[in-house]
Amino acid sequence: MTTVEQRTGLVGQGVDRVDGPLKVTGAARYPNDFSYPDLAYAALVRSTVAAGRISRLDTAAALASPGVLAVITHQNAPRLERAPDSGLTAPPPPLQDDRITFHGQYVAVVVADSAEEATAAARRVEAEYEPAEPILDMGDPRAEWITDPWGTDSSRGDLKGALASAEVRFEATYTTAANSNSPMGLFSTVAVWDGDDLTIHDSTQWPSYLRKAIAQVFSLPEGNVRVLCPYVGGAFGAGLRAWPHIMLAALAARTVGRPVKLVLTRPEMFTGVGHRTASEQCVKLGATRDGRLVALAHESTTPLQIEGTQFEPCTAGSASAYACPNVITRDRQVRLNIPWCNFMRAPGEAQGNFALESAMDELAYELGMDPLELRLRNYSEDNPRLELPWSSKSLRECYEVGAERFGWSRRSPEPGSMRDGDSLIGYGVAGVSFFWYQEPCEARATLRKDGTAVVRSAVTDIGTGTYTVMTQLSAECLGLDMAHVTFELGDSDLPAGAAAGGSGLTAAVGSAVQAACRNLVRAFLDTVRDDPTSPLQGCTIDEVSVGGGRIHRIDAPESGEAYADILAAHGIGELSADGSSTPNDPKVAGMAPSGAFAARFVEVRVDPDLGLMQVARVVSVVDAGRILNEKTATSQIMGGTVGGIGMAMLEEIVTDPGTGRVANATFGDYLIPVNADIPDMEVAFVGRPDRFNSVGVKGVGEIGLVGIGAAIANAVHHATGRRVRSLPITIEQLF
Amino acid sequence: MDFLRPLTWAEALEMKAERPDATPIQGGTDVMVEINLDKGRPTALLDLAAVAELAEWTRDNGTVRLGAGVSYTRLIAELAGDLPGLAQASRTVGSPQIRNRGTVAGNLGAASPAGDSHPPLLATGAEVEAESVRGSRMIAITDFYRGVKRNALEPDELIRAVRIPVATGPQYFSKIGTRNAMVIAVSSFAIAFDGRRVGTGIGSAAPTPRRAPEAEAFLESALDWSGPLDADVARRFGELVRDAAAPIDDVRGTRDYRLHSLAVMARRTLTWAWEDHLRCA
C-alpha cells in the first residue's frame, strides 16, 4: 500500500504530548469538570444483597430531605429499552424491576440541588429485600456453565495420544484473582437535555457506541444524542460499556428537567464499571527430552455475571504461542451473582499468559533446560493455528535483545543459588503476545485558508497519547508542522470512531487518518487539475509529495504550491476530505495478523526470613510493529508493567463469601502498586512495520501488562525454589 | 454533626469539658477516613488545627516535649537526631501528604494497635501529657493503651503533648507492610538503647501496642556490652519478643506470620543497634 507520508520523519519521534500542558495546568476538562446553570446532582443507592428481590423500598424520608428533587426507583422509573449488542453488551437498563442479581446493584437514584444533599438523602432510602441464596462460588452446583462461549476454542492434532506418548509430561493448575480497573478518575456523567436532544459528558472509551446505546435506551434517534469526552481520567477498559449509571444520570436529568451530574464514589467504581475476572486454569504439556513441545492443552474457567456477557478468552493465545502439533485450548464461563465482569487491560491474555508461561518455566526446570532456550526451541515461525505466515514477528529478536540487556547469561540455573546479602535473587522470563482488535473507523481532514489543518474522529485519548500520535501522523501525511495541525476527538458528532480498546485504536484511526489526508491531497489536486497557472496541474496523487505546507511534484520538488495559495487562488475557504478504515481479512491478505510480541525479563529479590519480595528490575523488549511515538509508546509499556506488577503482587478483589459484597472496595484496602514497589523499567522496541494495516502498527496499549505475572512468579521460583501458581503472590506464600 | 473550632488551648479545653462527646481532630488522617467510610459518625468534631501552641516542640533536660499538632513531616525534618526511632517510624507513615497532616498525638488518640508511632514511644518510655480544665497529668506510655482503639484519656481530656527522652543510644524501627509504602503495618517493632537499658515496642501484634519486658530483661542481663553480639542471644531475644505478642489473623496478615516476623525484626534491629553501639563505644 502506498502512502504520501513518510517524508519528514516526524512519525516515530518521541515528541511531547500535545495535551500535556493542558493536563498539568488543570485546563483539560474531564467529564466531572463540566458544569451548567441549574445543575443538579445525583447519588446512587445500591443493593445490600447479592440475589433476591426488593420487598420494600421506602423513599419518604429521602424525599423529605433538604434539597431533594426526586428519588427514582423501579416503582416509578419509566420503561427503558435495552442497549444494542455491540459485542460489548450493555448491562440491562437499571430500575426496571425488583430483581437483584449482585451486591451493589443500583436500586435508587436520588437527585438534589447539591452533591452533599443527594448523598445525605441517598442514605435515607430504606430498602428491604427478600434475599435468595446467591451463587458466589464457581464450585456451586447450581451455577450455570457455558462452554466455548465465543467459538474460540481450538483443537489440532491428537492431544491425547501425544500426551500419552510424550517423553516428559507436565501438568498444573493456576489461578488468578479478580482485579479492579481502578482508574484514578472517578467515572462521571453530566447529562443535559434540551427538548429531545441529550448531551452527555462521560468517561467513555467509545463515544460512537455510547451514543448509539443511549439513544436506544431512551428510544431516541441517534442524532439526538451527543457524547463528549475530550479527556478521560484513565479507564483501562472500564469505559467500553454503556453502564447503568450513565443511563441513570440521563434519566435523572430528564426527570427533574435540569442538567444532572453523577460522579461515582470509589466503592461504586468496584461494582459499577466492571472488573477483570478471576481465573482457574489447567495447563498440560508434553515434550521430548530435548525440549520440543509435542502436546499442549490449556483449559480455563472464569466467572461471569449471572446475566452478563464478557469476551475473555484466557486460552486463545496458547493456540498460536508455540510450534506444537497437538493442541487443545478451551474456555468456560460460570455464571455467578457478582458485579459485571468487563475488559481490563489485556483481558484474557493477562490471566492466560500467566498459566502458560509459568508452565513453560516449570517444564524447563523438569528438562533441566534454560527457560529461554525452551521458548526459542519451540518458536513458531508461522501462525500454527491459521497456518499462515505472521504479518510480522520479531519475538526472537525480543528474546535476544532482552537477554543481552538484562544480562540473562549471568543467571546460575539452580534455584536459590544467587544471593546478595540477606536477599535471594531470582531471574524470570516470559514470552508474550497480545492480539489487537480493529474496528471500522472514520476520520475527516480539513485544511483552512491559513494553511493549518484540523483532523477529526470520534475516538478518545484515555491517556495513551492518541491526540499526540494522530497529530504527528496527520502532520506527516499533509506535510505540515505539528504546530499547524490540530487533532480533535472525544465528540460523537465527529466522524464515527473506533473504541479505544483491544489495542486496535491506533491501527483503526491511524488508517482512517491516513486515508482522509490522502483524500484531502487528492481534493487539492482535483482543485488545480484544470488550472494552467498551477505547477501541479494534471498531477495524480502518485506523482506528488507533501512538505513545508505545500504539495510538490516528486520529479521536480521545486514545482509545487502551498495549500493556502491553492485555496486563495480558487476562492475556497477550506477544503475537507473523509477517510475510513476497515479491518483487513487474513484470508484475503494471505497472512495471520500478528499481535504485538514481547519478551519480559524480571529480577526479583526475596528476603527469605520475612517472605518479602521486591521486583528489582524489569527489561521489556517489544515488537509492536511501527512505533509512532517512542515516548508515549514507552510510557504505555511502563504503565502496563506497573499494572502487571499490581496483578502479580498486590491486586485482588475480595468478595465476602457469605454475602457477595466486595469487601475491599477502597484504595486503603485494595492495594495497587506505589512508587516504592516499582523498579527501574527498561523498554526497547524491535521489529519492523507490520504488514496487516497501512499504518504498520500493532498496538502497545495492553501488551505491557502481559507476562509480568509469569516472569515474576518464575523469578520467585528461581530465587527461592518455591513455585507459586496463584496471583497475587503474597507474603504468606513466600515465608 | 457539630463542628467546634477553638482558637486557643484554653478554649479547646473548655469546649472539650462542655462536649466530652466531641472527637478531637488534628490532621484528620484517621478521623476523616473513619467518617468517609461510614464507620460511625461523631456527634461533634473538635478541630484543633487552629490552636497554634500545639504545633510547637521544645527540648528541656533531655526530654523533647512534642506538641500535639507537630506533623510527622516536621518531626522527621527537625527531630531525627533527638528521636531517631520515632523519626524512622514517622518516615513509614502513609504518603508525604499524610505526613504533612498526621501527628503522633493523633496516632495516640486513635490508639490503633497498628499505629506506627507506638513502638518507638514504648521503647523510649515516653509520657503522654494529658490536660483538661481540671488540670494536667502525665500518663506513662505503658499505661496509655487500654484496648483496641481505646486509651487512658478521660472524656474531658485532650493530649497537649508527648514527652520523649532524647536518644542516648541507638534506636531502630522496623515494619512489615503488604506493599512498600502507603500501608498499614502487618507487624512492627522498635528497639532503643539507653545506657545499658533496653527498651522495646511491639506494634500490630496484640490488642494494644506493648513492650516485651522479658525480652528487655533478658538482653540487659545477657549482653556483654563490650564484645560482638552473640548470635544465640540475638535469637533468644527475638523469641522472647515473639512470645510477648498476641496477634490475630486478619486481612493484612496471619497470626503465624506476625509472630515469625516479630522474631526476625527483633533480631535484626538488635543487630543494627549493636553495630551502632560498638561503633560509638
Side-chain angles (χ1 to χ4, degrees), chain A residues 312-342:
Chain A
E312 187 100 24
C314 294
T315 70
S318 297
S320 49
Y322 292 104
C324 177
N326 306 293
V327 174
I328 280 183
T329 66
R330 283 193 187 130
D331 276 272
R332 295 190 297 190
Q333 290 179 306
V334 186
R335 293 194 176 280
L336 302 179
N337 290 107
I338 55 174
W340 271 62
C341 307
N342 186 47

Side-chain angles (χ1 to χ4, degrees), chain A residues 123 422 607-614 649-650 666-674 676-677 731-732 735, chain B residues 35 37-38 41 176-184 186 251-254 256-257 260-261 264-265 267-268:
Chain A
R123 293 174 201 272
D422 283 341
D607 180 334
D609 285 349
L610 290 170
L612 298 177
M613 188 250 290
Q614 174 84 24
M649 296 178 61
L650 296 166
T666 74
F667 279 173
D669 296 317
Y670 180 89
L671 299 186
I672 56 176
V674 296
D677 297 308
I731 290 174
E732 272 78 19
F735 108 89
Chain B
I35 291 173
L37 293 181
D38 250 349
R41 290 177 84 71
I176 308 277
T178 43
R179 68 179 166 194
N180 281 315
M182 298 267 300
V183 76
I184 298 168
V186 171
V251 290
R252 282 188 293 280
T254 61
D256 288 350
Y257 180 76
H260 171 80
S261 62
V264 175
M265 287 191 291
R267 178 163 48 81
R268 287 192 184 171

